[in-house]
Amino acid sequence: MKTLKYNEIMPRVAIEKLKLIEEEDLVDLVGRNLEAIRCALIETSYRDEILKLLPQETNSNSLEEAILENYAQTMKKLINFSSGNLKKLLLAFIRKIETSNIKSLLRAKKANINLDEAINNMIPIGFLTKDRCREILSKSKTIEDVMEHLFDTEYGDIIQNNMTEIKTANSLLPLELALDQVSYTGISKVIEKFKGLDKKIAKNVIGIEIDSINIKIILRGKAKRIPKEIIKKYLLPSFFIRKNTFLKGLETSDMNDLIVSLMSNNKFANNPFYRNIFSQILEKNYLSMGQIEHELEKASLRVSLSMQKKYLKYYNLSSVLVLLNLKRIEIKNLRCIIVGSKREVNSSEVKRFLILKNNN
């Protein structure tokens, strides 16, 4: 994309970046009660959404709903100020949110989550509006009923094609992986349309994310005892790492062996982001998927910031991708803090799961 095409969106990106909460202020929210968090958020970019909440109606669900609404509005603003391949990429990101909402819908029904709580966990953007989600959940008695309500959408074929494997695995994982595959494949196709520096930046930033997804696919599949042949089918096409490298990982017995197997590949071993993150995982001997995913999230954040620092003086894709990454992680951190407050989790434990630019 020519520099000229960034002239309209870059001021909006700069404004949205200025609205991000300083990490020090974010950490300061840890340990506060929900009312204190609500008051603090009124002084941030979430003001308009938070002010719609009456103090007596403030709870963890309503706060999460407000910040997710803000995230959706930020995405819409960026799309309105974009054009060309950048706009296509942002719309591809919307499809990723849509597939995430489908997964949330199915998980909510499987876990019999309260209707309002389930709806408040949806990011209000894309074809699954809150009213549509509410209608589907209220009319569905089973997961199969939810799926049938989605047959007439563009994801209907994917859902129907994975029905057998869902039953075989007794898990939603095959469908979740299939949805990830279609959304990231769409993103990858758009990235291939970029040229020069933008293409390089996109491949580096999204490439780390895709490789992280592949690692999680292997770990989740093995944990659910899903047959290797099925797991292989859902691995995403990587920009840098050959599929055979990930296939070797399927033969490993545990997380440590998987990392050793991946690090035997020179592209993994020579990448400072992978090297740093995998060293952290091995050193801390993480066992849970939550802890491992937390470390993988850091790699995505760090490569985004690295790209921006390297190409800061140019109008290019790095600033947009950094904003999207920082905003997404801010939302994730806020939700972690809100849930921690609701459950009265120890502050040190909550801080351990925050994704911050400078923490290890």
Side-chain angles (χ1 to χ4, degrees), residues 123-147:
I123 299 173
I125 196 168
F127 81 95
L128 272 179
T129 63
K130 289 193 174 183
D131 287 342
R132 178 92 186 266
C133 290
R134 186 178 295 278
E135 180 185 10
I136 290 173
L137 286 176
S138 62
K139 290 183 177 180
S140 300
K141 294 182 179 180
T142 66
I143 293 174
E144 288 75 16
D145 291 340
V146 174
M147 292 179 184

PDB file of all heavy atoms in Angstrom, residues 123-147:
ATOM      1  N   ILE A 123     -18.270 -10.132  21.396  1.00  0.00           N
ATOM      2  CA  ILE A 123     -17.821  -8.838  20.880  1.00  0.00           C
ATOM      3  C   ILE A 123     -18.851  -8.393  19.846  1.00  0.00           C
ATOM      4  O   ILE A 123     -19.059  -9.075  18.841  1.00  0.00           O
ATOM      5  CB  ILE A 123     -16.433  -8.946  20.230  1.00  0.00           C
ATOM      6  CG1 ILE A 123     -15.411  -9.416  21.271  1.00  0.00           C
ATOM      7  CG2 ILE A 123     -16.000  -7.603  19.640  1.00  0.00           C
ATOM      8  CD1 ILE A 123     -14.038  -9.711  20.710  1.00  0.00           C
ATOM      9  N   PRO A 124     -19.548  -7.286  20.092  1.00  0.00           N
ATOM     10  CA  PRO A 124     -20.689  -6.898  19.245  1.00  0.00           C
ATOM     11  C   PRO A 124     -20.286  -6.329  17.892  1.00  0.00           C
ATOM     12  O   PRO A 124     -20.407  -5.135  17.627  1.00  0.00           O
ATOM     13  CB  PRO A 124     -21.405  -5.853  20.112  1.00  0.00           C
ATOM     14  CG  PRO A 124     -20.303  -5.234  20.911  1.00  0.00           C
ATOM     15  CD  PRO A 124     -19.326  -6.339  21.192  1.00  0.00           C
ATOM     16  N   ILE A 125     -19.793  -7.202  17.032  1.00  0.00           N
ATOM     17  CA  ILE A 125     -19.422  -6.790  15.675  1.00  0.00           C
ATOM     18  C   ILE A 125     -19.543  -8.013  14.776  1.00  0.00           C
ATOM     19  O   ILE A 125     -19.332  -9.145  15.215  1.00  0.00           O
ATOM     20  CB  ILE A 125     -17.985  -6.206  15.660  1.00  0.00           C
ATOM     21  CG1 ILE A 125     -17.728  -5.433  14.372  1.00  0.00           C
ATOM     22  CG2 ILE A 125     -16.932  -7.282  15.869  1.00  0.00           C
ATOM     23  CD1 ILE A 125     -16.455  -4.598  14.403  1.00  0.00           C
ATOM     24  N   GLY A 126     -19.913  -7.783  13.521  1.00  0.00           N
ATOM     25  CA  GLY A 126     -20.101  -8.907  12.618  1.00  0.00           C
ATOM     26  C   GLY A 126     -21.555  -9.327  12.567  1.00  0.00           C
ATOM     27  O   GLY A 126     -22.443  -8.634  13.073  1.00  0.00           O
ATOM     28  N   PHE A 127     -21.819 -10.482  11.955  1.00  0.00           N
ATOM     29  CA  PHE A 127     -23.201 -10.897  11.720  1.00  0.00           C
ATOM     30  C   PHE A 127     -23.919 -11.373  12.989  1.00  0.00           C
ATOM     31  O   PHE A 127     -25.141 -11.355  13.066  1.00  0.00           O
ATOM     32  CB  PHE A 127     -23.249 -11.997  10.651  1.00  0.00           C
ATOM     33  CG  PHE A 127     -22.943 -13.374  11.166  1.00  0.00           C
ATOM     34  CD1 PHE A 127     -23.971 -14.231  11.544  1.00  0.00           C
ATOM     35  CD2 PHE A 127     -21.633 -13.816  11.276  1.00  0.00           C
ATOM     36  CE1 PHE A 127     -23.693 -15.506  12.022  1.00  0.00           C
ATOM     37  CE2 PHE A 127     -21.351 -15.086  11.740  1.00  0.00           C
ATOM     38  CZ  PHE A 127     -22.386 -15.939  12.121  1.00  0.00           C
ATOM     39  N   LEU A 128     -23.144 -11.807  14.015  1.00  0.00           N
ATOM     40  CA  LEU A 128     -23.771 -12.297  15.244  1.00  0.00           C
ATOM     41  C   LEU A 128     -24.034 -11.137  16.206  1.00  0.00           C
ATOM     42  O   LEU A 128     -23.264 -10.890  17.122  1.00  0.00           O
ATOM     43  CB  LEU A 128     -22.891 -13.356  15.918  1.00  0.00           C
ATOM     44  CG  LEU A 128     -23.093 -14.805  15.480  1.00  0.00           C
ATOM     45  CD1 LEU A 128     -22.141 -15.720  16.219  1.00  0.00           C
ATOM     46  CD2 LEU A 128     -24.533 -15.256  15.709  1.00  0.00           C
ATOM     47  N   THR A 129     -25.116 -10.437  15.975  1.00  0.00           N
ATOM     48  CA  THR A 129     -25.489  -9.357  16.894  1.00  0.00           C
ATOM     49  C   THR A 129     -25.931  -9.965  18.228  1.00  0.00           C
ATOM     50  O   THR A 129     -26.218 -11.166  18.316  1.00  0.00           O
ATOM     51  CB  THR A 129     -26.645  -8.539  16.312  1.00  0.00           C
ATOM     52  OG1 THR A 129     -27.796  -9.401  16.193  1.00  0.00           O
ATOM     53  CG2 THR A 129     -26.289  -7.975  14.940  1.00  0.00           C
ATOM     54  N   LYS A 130     -26.012  -9.132  19.244  1.00  0.00           N
ATOM     55  CA  LYS A 130     -26.440  -9.633  20.555  1.00  0.00           C
ATOM     56  C   LYS A 130     -27.870 -10.161  20.505  1.00  0.00           C
ATOM     57  O   LYS A 130     -28.189 -11.175  21.138  1.00  0.00           O
ATOM     58  CB  LYS A 130     -26.309  -8.528  21.610  1.00  0.00           C
ATOM     59  CG  LYS A 130     -24.857  -8.213  21.941  1.00  0.00           C
ATOM     60  CD  LYS A 130     -24.738  -7.361  23.177  1.00  0.00           C
ATOM     61  CE  LYS A 130     -23.274  -7.182  23.553  1.00  0.00           C
ATOM     62  NZ  LYS A 130     -23.104  -6.419  24.790  1.00  0.00           N
ATOM     63  N   ASP A 131     -28.707  -9.486  19.729  1.00  0.00           N
ATOM     64  CA  ASP A 131     -30.093  -9.952  19.603  1.00  0.00           C
ATOM     65  C   ASP A 131     -30.139 -11.322  18.931  1.00  0.00           C
ATOM     66  O   ASP A 131     -30.922 -12.197  19.339  1.00  0.00           O
ATOM     67  CB  ASP A 131     -30.928  -8.945  18.804  1.00  0.00           C
ATOM     68  CG  ASP A 131     -31.232  -7.681  19.593  1.00  0.00           C
ATOM     69  OD1 ASP A 131     -31.101  -7.727  20.840  1.00  0.00           O
ATOM     70  OD2 ASP A 131     -31.588  -6.664  18.981  1.00  0.00           O
ATOM     71  N   ARG A 132     -29.298 -11.505  17.912  1.00  0.00           N
ATOM     72  CA  ARG A 132     -29.259 -12.799  17.215  1.00  0.00           C
ATOM     73  C   ARG A 132     -28.750 -13.882  18.164  1.00  0.00           C
ATOM     74  O   ARG A 132     -29.298 -14.997  18.203  1.00  0.00           O
ATOM     75  CB  ARG A 132     -28.342 -12.689  15.990  1.00  0.00           C
ATOM     76  CG  ARG A 132     -28.188 -14.007  15.196  1.00  0.00           C
ATOM     77  CD  ARG A 132     -29.207 -14.100  14.096  1.00  0.00           C
ATOM     78  NE  ARG A 132     -29.178 -15.399  13.428  1.00  0.00           N
ATOM     79  CZ  ARG A 132     -28.495 -15.664  12.329  1.00  0.00           C
ATOM     80  NH1 ARG A 132     -27.787 -14.696  11.740  1.00  0.00           N
ATOM     81  NH2 ARG A 132     -28.541 -16.852  11.765  1.00  0.00           N
ATOM     82  N   CYS A 133     -27.714 -13.578  18.920  1.00  0.00           N
ATOM     83  CA  CYS A 133     -27.160 -14.551  19.872  1.00  0.00           C
ATOM     84  C   CYS A 133     -28.198 -14.921  20.936  1.00  0.00           C
ATOM     85  O   CYS A 133     -28.343 -16.095  21.296  1.00  0.00           O
ATOM     86  CB  CYS A 133     -25.912 -13.994  20.548  1.00  0.00           C
ATOM     87  SG  CYS A 133     -24.485 -13.853  19.461  1.00  0.00           S
ATOM     88  N   ARG A 134     -28.890 -13.910  21.427  1.00  0.00           N
ATOM     89  CA  ARG A 134     -29.907 -14.147  22.455  1.00  0.00           C
ATOM     90  C   ARG A 134     -31.024 -15.043  21.907  1.00  0.00           C
ATOM     91  O   ARG A 134     -31.484 -15.968  22.578  1.00  0.00           O
ATOM     92  CB  ARG A 134     -30.476 -12.808  22.934  1.00  0.00           C
ATOM     93  CG  ARG A 134     -31.448 -12.922  24.108  1.00  0.00           C
ATOM     94  CD  ARG A 134     -31.922 -11.541  24.534  1.00  0.00           C
ATOM     95  NE  ARG A 134     -30.815 -10.749  25.062  1.00  0.00           N
ATOM     96  CZ  ARG A 134     -30.362 -10.831  26.304  1.00  0.00           C
ATOM     97  NH1 ARG A 134     -30.916 -11.695  27.149  1.00  0.00           N
ATOM     98  NH2 ARG A 134     -29.370 -10.076  26.704  1.00  0.00           N
ATOM     99  N   GLU A 135     -31.421 -14.769  20.670  1.00  0.00           N
ATOM    100  CA  GLU A 135     -32.476 -15.564  20.047  1.00  0.00           C
ATOM    101  C   GLU A 135     -32.029 -17.023  19.874  1.00  0.00           C
ATOM    102  O   GLU A 135     -32.780 -17.958  20.184  1.00  0.00           O
ATOM    103  CB  GLU A 135     -32.835 -14.971  18.680  1.00  0.00           C
ATOM    104  CG  GLU A 135     -33.926 -15.743  17.953  1.00  0.00           C
ATOM    105  CD  GLU A 135     -34.167 -15.200  16.554  1.00  0.00           C
ATOM    106  OE1 GLU A 135     -33.364 -14.355  16.089  1.00  0.00           O
ATOM    107  OE2 GLU A 135     -35.147 -15.639  15.916  1.00  0.00           O
ATOM    108  N   ILE A 136     -30.787 -17.210  19.398  1.00  0.00           N
ATOM    109  CA  ILE A 136     -30.276 -18.565  19.167  1.00  0.00           C
ATOM    110  C   ILE A 136     -30.200 -19.350  20.474  1.00  0.00           C
ATOM    111  O   ILE A 136     -30.659 -20.492  20.565  1.00  0.00           O
ATOM    112  CB  ILE A 136     -28.884 -18.508  18.497  1.00  0.00           C
ATOM    113  CG1 ILE A 136     -29.008 -18.002  17.060  1.00  0.00           C
ATOM    114  CG2 ILE A 136     -28.215 -19.889  18.514  1.00  0.00           C
ATOM    115  CD1 ILE A 136     -27.680 -17.743  16.377  1.00  0.00           C
ATOM    116  N   LEU A 137     -29.622 -18.731  21.503  1.00  0.00           N
ATOM    117  CA  LEU A 137     -29.465 -19.436  22.779  1.00  0.00           C
ATOM    118  C   LEU A 137     -30.803 -19.725  23.454  1.00  0.00           C
ATOM    119  O   LEU A 137     -31.001 -20.795  24.036  1.00  0.00           O
ATOM    120  CB  LEU A 137     -28.568 -18.624  23.718  1.00  0.00           C
ATOM    121  CG  LEU A 137     -27.065 -18.621  23.384  1.00  0.00           C
ATOM    122  CD1 LEU A 137     -26.311 -17.701  24.333  1.00  0.00           C
ATOM    123  CD2 LEU A 137     -26.480 -20.021  23.452  1.00  0.00           C
ATOM    124  N   SER A 138     -31.714 -18.772  23.368  1.00  0.00           N
ATOM    125  CA  SER A 138     -33.011 -18.968  24.024  1.00  0.00           C
ATOM    126  C   SER A 138     -33.850 -20.047  23.338  1.00  0.00           C
ATOM    127  O   SER A 138     -34.670 -20.710  23.972  1.00  0.00           O
ATOM    128  CB  SER A 138     -33.794 -17.652  24.066  1.00  0.00           C
ATOM    129  OG  SER A 138     -34.060 -17.184  22.763  1.00  0.00           O
ATOM    130  N   LYS A 139     -33.631 -20.241  22.038  1.00  0.00           N
ATOM    131  CA  LYS A 139     -34.395 -21.234  21.286  1.00  0.00           C
ATOM    132  C   LYS A 139     -33.702 -22.600  21.211  1.00  0.00           C
ATOM    133  O   LYS A 139     -34.274 -23.542  20.666  1.00  0.00           O
ATOM    134  CB  LYS A 139     -34.659 -20.729  19.861  1.00  0.00           C
ATOM    135  CG  LYS A 139     -35.639 -19.574  19.783  1.00  0.00           C
ATOM    136  CD  LYS A 139     -35.900 -19.184  18.339  1.00  0.00           C
ATOM    137  CE  LYS A 139     -36.939 -18.077  18.247  1.00  0.00           C
ATOM    138  NZ  LYS A 139     -37.193 -17.696  16.831  1.00  0.00           N
ATOM    139  N   SER A 140     -32.485 -22.673  21.732  1.00  0.00           N
ATOM    140  CA  SER A 140     -31.708 -23.908  21.618  1.00  0.00           C
ATOM    141  C   SER A 140     -31.622 -24.651  22.944  1.00  0.00           C
ATOM    142  O   SER A 140     -31.257 -24.064  23.964  1.00  0.00           O
ATOM    143  CB  SER A 140     -30.283 -23.597  21.122  1.00  0.00           C
ATOM    144  OG  SER A 140     -30.325 -22.969  19.867  1.00  0.00           O
ATOM    145  N   LYS A 141     -31.944 -25.935  22.913  1.00  0.00           N
ATOM    146  CA  LYS A 141     -31.825 -26.764  24.102  1.00  0.00           C
ATOM    147  C   LYS A 141     -30.484 -27.489  24.150  1.00  0.00           C
ATOM    148  O   LYS A 141     -30.007 -27.862  25.220  1.00  0.00           O
ATOM    149  CB  LYS A 141     -32.968 -27.789  24.149  1.00  0.00           C
ATOM    150  CG  LYS A 141     -34.345 -27.163  24.342  1.00  0.00           C
ATOM    151  CD  LYS A 141     -35.425 -28.234  24.419  1.00  0.00           C
ATOM    152  CE  LYS A 141     -36.798 -27.609  24.632  1.00  0.00           C
ATOM    153  NZ  LYS A 141     -37.870 -28.647  24.698  1.00  0.00           N
ATOM    154  N   THR A 142     -29.885 -27.702  22.990  1.00  0.00           N
ATOM    155  CA  THR A 142     -28.629 -28.443  22.910  1.00  0.00           C
ATOM    156  C   THR A 142     -27.623 -27.709  22.032  1.00  0.00           C
ATOM    157  O   THR A 142     -27.979 -26.748  21.319  1.00  0.00           O
ATOM    158  CB  THR A 142     -28.855 -29.844  22.301  1.00  0.00           C
ATOM    159  OG1 THR A 142     -29.272 -29.679  20.927  1.00  0.00           O
ATOM    160  CG2 THR A 142     -29.912 -30.617  23.080  1.00  0.00           C
ATOM    161  N   ILE A 143     -26.374 -28.179  22.048  1.00  0.00           N
ATOM    162  CA  ILE A 143     -25.337 -27.623  21.172  1.00  0.00           C
ATOM    163  C   ILE A 143     -25.721 -27.833  19.715  1.00  0.00           C
ATOM    164  O   ILE A 143     -25.505 -26.958  18.867  1.00  0.00           O
ATOM    165  CB  ILE A 143     -23.974 -28.294  21.467  1.00  0.00           C
ATOM    166  CG1 ILE A 143     -23.489 -27.910  22.861  1.00  0.00           C
ATOM    167  CG2 ILE A 143     -22.932 -27.894  20.423  1.00  0.00           C
ATOM    168  CD1 ILE A 143     -22.248 -28.628  23.300  1.00  0.00           C
ATOM    169  N   GLU A 144     -26.304 -29.003  19.438  1.00  0.00           N
ATOM    170  CA  GLU A 144     -26.732 -29.307  18.068  1.00  0.00           C
ATOM    171  C   GLU A 144     -27.762 -28.302  17.575  1.00  0.00           C
ATOM    172  O   GLU A 144     -27.751 -27.899  16.406  1.00  0.00           O
ATOM    173  CB  GLU A 144     -27.295 -30.730  17.990  1.00  0.00           C
ATOM    174  CG  GLU A 144     -26.272 -31.840  18.105  1.00  0.00           C
ATOM    175  CD  GLU A 144     -25.773 -32.047  19.527  1.00  0.00           C
ATOM    176  OE1 GLU A 144     -26.437 -31.541  20.469  1.00  0.00           O
ATOM    177  OE2 GLU A 144     -24.720 -32.688  19.703  1.00  0.00           O
ATOM    178  N   ASP A 145     -28.644 -27.867  18.479  1.00  0.00           N
ATOM    179  CA  ASP A 145     -29.645 -26.853  18.113  1.00  0.00           C
ATOM    180  C   ASP A 145     -28.962 -25.538  17.728  1.00  0.00           C
ATOM    181  O   ASP A 145     -29.352 -24.878  16.756  1.00  0.00           O
ATOM    182  CB  ASP A 145     -30.604 -26.600  19.279  1.00  0.00           C
ATOM    183  CG  ASP A 145     -31.512 -27.785  19.559  1.00  0.00           C
ATOM    184  OD1 ASP A 145     -31.669 -28.633  18.660  1.00  0.00           O
ATOM    185  OD2 ASP A 145     -32.046 -27.864  20.681  1.00  0.00           O
ATOM    186  N   VAL A 146     -27.941 -25.159  18.505  1.00  0.00           N
ATOM    187  CA  VAL A 146     -27.193 -23.921  18.212  1.00  0.00           C
ATOM    188  C   VAL A 146     -26.564 -24.023  16.827  1.00  0.00           C
ATOM    189  O   VAL A 146     -26.634 -23.087  16.017  1.00  0.00           O
ATOM    190  CB  VAL A 146     -26.101 -23.666  19.275  1.00  0.00           C
ATOM    191  CG1 VAL A 146     -25.241 -22.468  18.868  1.00  0.00           C
ATOM    192  CG2 VAL A 146     -26.721 -23.426  20.641  1.00  0.00           C
ATOM    193  N   MET A 147     -25.952 -25.159  16.554  1.00  0.00           N
ATOM    194  CA  MET A 147     -25.307 -25.363  15.257  1.00  0.00           C
ATOM    195  C   MET A 147     -26.295 -25.240  14.112  1.00  0.00           C
ATOM    196  O   MET A 147     -26.009 -24.617  13.086  1.00  0.00           O
ATOM    197  CB  MET A 147     -24.629 -26.738  15.219  1.00  0.00           C
ATOM    198  CG  MET A 147     -23.430 -26.871  16.143  1.00  0.00           C
ATOM    199  SD  MET A 147     -22.708 -28.518  16.047  1.00  0.00           S
ATOM    200  CE  MET A 147     -21.438 -28.392  17.304  1.00  0.00           C
TER     201      MET A 147
END
